[in-house]
Structures are given as structure tokens and as C-alpha cells.
Amino acid sequence: MPTKITPQYDSQYARMAKAIAYLAARWESHPSLEQTARVAGLSPWHFQKAFRRWVGVSPKQFQGALSLDYARAHLAAGAPVLEAALATGLSGPSRLHDLAINFDAVTPGEIRTGGDGIILRTGTAATPF
């Protein structure tokens, strides 16, 4: 059954759109849950719950995906794993390794080589965004 469009629905959509834009613009500084919840005008608990419902992942996972995307670009350009991790604002290559494994099921080294010898299967899902 489709979601009924109500003023509350529109309000939640606007709050999550604002939070996504905020995180996308400030991902390098890794905003806290409290900071992002404040931008959305919600308590951290309510924001976490609403963000996951609307976006499909937690705010922390969303920030991780943004960071990994930036690191992928560095790795694809031939940057060493340590350099890509530090340029992304991560504490070191092990943190980048964890992100890559959790999101892409490949290592940063495999991303750097363009995935030579591996087979990737991907999927997409519809969201309001």
C-alpha cells in the first residue's frame, strides 16, 4: 500500500533531505549524530530512527559510504592505500579496509587495481530520495 502523503510525511521528508544535504556537504568533518539531529530538528534518538526508515541505513553508515566514495576516487587515481585513507579523514588504512569490506566486499587494494580478477554483483533499491 502506498504511503499516504500527509503534512507529517512532508515534514519528515524535508527533515531527512536537509540532513542528507548537511552530511553530504560536511562528510569530511564527520558530523556527530547530535549535530545532524539538531539540523533536522529532532532528538538524536528520533533522528536515528527516522533516518534509517527514510534512507535505509543509519547516519553513520551513510557517512561511511560518502567517505568510501571519496577514497575510491583516490585509489582509482593510483594513490596508495595509506594516502587515500588519510585524505579521506580516516585514522589509517585499517579503517579504510573495514569500510571497503563492509560496503563493497573488496579490499582497498582491489579497488585500487580496478577489481582485476573479481566479479561484482550490485543492486539498487527505490527510495524517496
Side-chain angles (χ1 to χ4, degrees):
M1 177 188 295
T3 302
K4 184 178 178 185
I5 306 300
T6 64
Q8 182 181 1
Y9 178 92
D10 288 343
S11 171
Q12 286 292 315
Y13 179 93
R15 288 173 194 261
M16 294 307 109
K18 189 174 184 179
I20 288 169
Y22 177 81
L23 290 171
R26 293 166 181 80
W27 68 268
E28 290 177 277
S29 65
H30 306 284
S32 69
L33 178 66
E34 290 77 13
Q35 290 169 317
T36 312
R38 196 174 315 117
V39 167
L42 296 169
S43 72
W45 186 86
H46 284 101
F47 173 70
Q48 173 89 7
K49 191 172 178 175
F51 193 91
R52 183 176 284 282
R53 184 175 59 246
W54 279 85
V55 181
V57 295
S58 71
K60 185 176 181 176
Q61 289 170 317
F62 186 76
Q63 287 184 41
L66 294 173
S67 296
L68 182 57
D69 193 47
Y70 187 78
R72 272 192 215 105
H74 272 62
L75 293 167
V81 174
L82 175 61
E83 184 180 313
L86 296 178
T88 305
L90 301 172
S91 58
S94 64
R95 181 69 180 113
L96 179 55
H97 183 271
D98 291 344
L99 278 177
I101 291 294
N102 287 330
F103 281 94
D104 293 341
V106 296
T107 66
E110 290 169 326
I111 293 171
R112 188 169 182 259
T113 63
D116 287 343
I118 61 172
I119 297 170
L120 296 178
R121 291 185 177 87
T122 63
T124 59
T127 78
F129 296 99

